[in-house]
Amino acid sequence: HALSGEPDLLYNIGTVADRLRRDALALSSYEAYLASRPDAENRAELEARIAVLRAAVARGEQAPVLADDQDRERAPVLEEPASPARR
């Protein structure tokens, strides 16, 4: 997003962060997306999710999982990229 400035990338970053349970990043990305796209079609949905994320971040807890993610297995998140030799 820093290179292109494309607002839709903020939504994508927020969605990925939300699914990875990185609530603070998801929150800031969704807020920035709505600031960049005030007429977003999914505004009401995102405002509801932002409220959940804000409350969780304020309490220092993780937000509840999105409804469509409850049945999906999560892949492990690597802390650092694999070296070329391991790919």
Side-chain angles (χ1 to χ4, degrees), residues 19-72:
R19 290 183 176 169
L20 291 174
R21 308 301 301 272
R22 297 189 178 174
D23 295 344
L25 177 58
L27 176 60
S28 64
S29 298
Y30 285 152
E31 289 174 331
Y33 169 73
L34 289 181
S36 298
R37 291 237 192 256
D39 59 343
E41 291 181 22
N42 57 348
R43 186 172 205 48
E45 173 189 324
L46 281 179
E47 287 175 340
R49 187 61 183 163
I50 285 170
V52 170
L53 289 167
R54 276 187 189 146
V57 169
R59 289 188 312 268
E61 300 172 357
Q62 285 189 328
V65 176
L66 290 168
D68 65 343
D69 284 347
Q70 289 177 349
D71 297 326
R72 187 179 303 153

